[in-house]
Amino acid sequence: METKDHTDAVEAYSRLFRLDGRKAVVVGAGSGIGRESALALAAHGATVVCADRDLTAATESASMGPGLVPYALDVLDGEAVARAAEGASEPSDVLVFTAATNVRKSLLDYTAEEFERVVALNLRASFDLVRAFGRGMAERGGGSIIGFSSIRAVAVEPGQGVYAATKAGLVQMLRTAAAELGPSGVRVNTVAPGVVDTPLTAQIRSVPEWSEAYASKSALGRWSRPDELAGAVVYLASDASSFVTGSQLFVDGGWTAIDGRFTPPS
C-alpha cells in the first residue's frame, strides 16, 4: 500500500506544472514577456488567448504554436475588457497581464496628461482586468491571476516616479484581491522583473553606457530575456503554486538583493 501511495505521489509530481484542459488569457501577448508567457503556457497544455491591442502582433504570436488564439483587446476600454471576460465561450482559469507604459521624466517635469496616461494603462486597466476576470473565477471557485509589477515597486530611480508608483500600487491592489478572492479559491500574485530586453526598454538599450550600467547592477551582470520570465508565469498558473497567493515573485537577476557594489583591490 505504501509503495502504491508513493507511486501515485510521483505521478502527481510529474504533472505538477501541467495545464491540460485549462484556458489562459494573456493580455499583452503580442510581444515581449506577454508573447513568451503565452507560448510557455500553451507548451504546458493550456489553451491560450493571445490578447493584444495590436491584432496583427497577437496573430503572429498565435501562429507560433498549437493551442494559441489571437484576440484584439484594448485594455483602456473598460467595456471591451468586460466583454472579453463575459463573452468567452469557455471560462478562463488563468489571467496574465503584462501591458505597461512609462514616461521617463522627473516629477516636476511631468504633465497631467502624461501622469494620466501612465496611471491609466499600468493601474486602471489592471483594476478593470482583475474585476472582470476575477468575478467569474470567484463564481466558479478557482483560478489564477498573474500581474506584472517591477523592481520599481520597491526600488525607485529618478525619472521613474510615476511608473514606480503605479507598480507599487499594483502590488497592493493584487494583494488585496488575493485576500478578497482567496476564500473563493482564486489565487492572485505578481511577477517583478528586473531589466528585460523588451520594446519598453529600447530607449535604455540604445545607449551603450546606459545599457551597461543597468546590466552591471544585478548579481548576474546582464539583462534578462523575455523568455526568462515565462517559467515564473507557468509556476504561478499551475498547481505547483497551489498554496501561493498574495506574493510578489522577483525575477530580477538579484537586482533587489544588492545595495551597491564593491570590487576588492587586487
Side-chain angles (χ1 to χ4, degrees), residues 72-91:
L73 177 62
D74 182 357
V75 292
L76 294 176
D77 183 343
E79 293 183 358
V81 170
R83 287 195 301 271
E86 296 171 0
S89 59
E90 297 178 8

Side-chain angles (χ1 to χ4, degrees), residues 228-262:
E228 292 181 295
L229 281 297
V233 172
V234 172
Y235 166 67
L236 291 173
S238 71
D239 291 341
S241 62
S242 60
F243 204 61
V244 179
T245 195
S247 294
Q248 181 171 206
L249 175 57
F250 286 91
V251 187
D252 64 354
W255 182 295
T256 52
I258 299 173
D259 181 14
R261 182 178 294 276
F262 171 69

Side-chain angles (χ1 to χ4, degrees), residues 7 42 55 99 110 129 139 165 170 172 174 180 185 200 213 215:
T7 301
L55 181 58
Y110 243 85
L129 286 164
E139 291 171 352
L170 176 64
Q172 292 300 81
L174 294 193
E180 294 178 354
L200 187 63

Side-chain angles (χ1 to χ4, degrees), residues 1-154:
M1 185 67 177
E2 182 178 345
T3 302
K4 183 178 185 300
D5 289 345
H6 183 263
T7 301
D8 290 345
V10 170
E11 176 62 23
Y13 284 137
S14 73
R15 299 191 304 269
L16 204 54
F17 291 89
R18 294 299 304 175
L19 297 165
D20 303 279
R22 301 185 196 182
K23 177 184 175 182
V25 175
V26 180
V27 178
S31 64
I33 297 171
R35 171 174 286 178
E36 300 303 329
S37 297
L39 294 176
L41 292 169
H44 284 77
T47 298
V48 183
V49 174
C50 297
D52 201 282
R53 182 177 62 178
D54 185 343
L55 181 58
T56 299
T59 301
E60 183 180 347
S61 295
S63 71
M64 294 180 176
L68 298 157
V69 181
Y71 186 89
L73 177 62
D74 182 357
V75 292
L76 294 176
D77 183 343
E79 293 183 358
V81 170
R83 287 195 301 271
E86 296 171 0
S89 59
E90 297 178 8
S92 301
D93 304 294
V94 178
L95 170 68
V96 181
F97 52 95
T98 67
T101 190
N102 191 8
V103 175
R104 295 174 179 274
K105 282 186 176 182
S106 66
L107 294 175
L108 298 184
D109 292 331
Y110 243 85
T111 67
E113 185 276 330
E114 290 167 336
F115 178 89
E116 294 293 343
R117 174 152 47 96
V118 175
V119 171
L121 183 56
N122 296 6
L123 199 55
R124 176 56 192 266
S126 300
F127 172 72
D128 288 339
L129 286 164
V130 170
R131 289 206 306 165
F133 285 87
R135 189 181 307 279
M137 290 180 182
E139 291 171 352
R140 294 187 299 274
S144 176
I145 296 174
I146 305 162
F148 269 76
S149 60
S150 166
I151 54 173
R152 295 298 166 222
V154 296

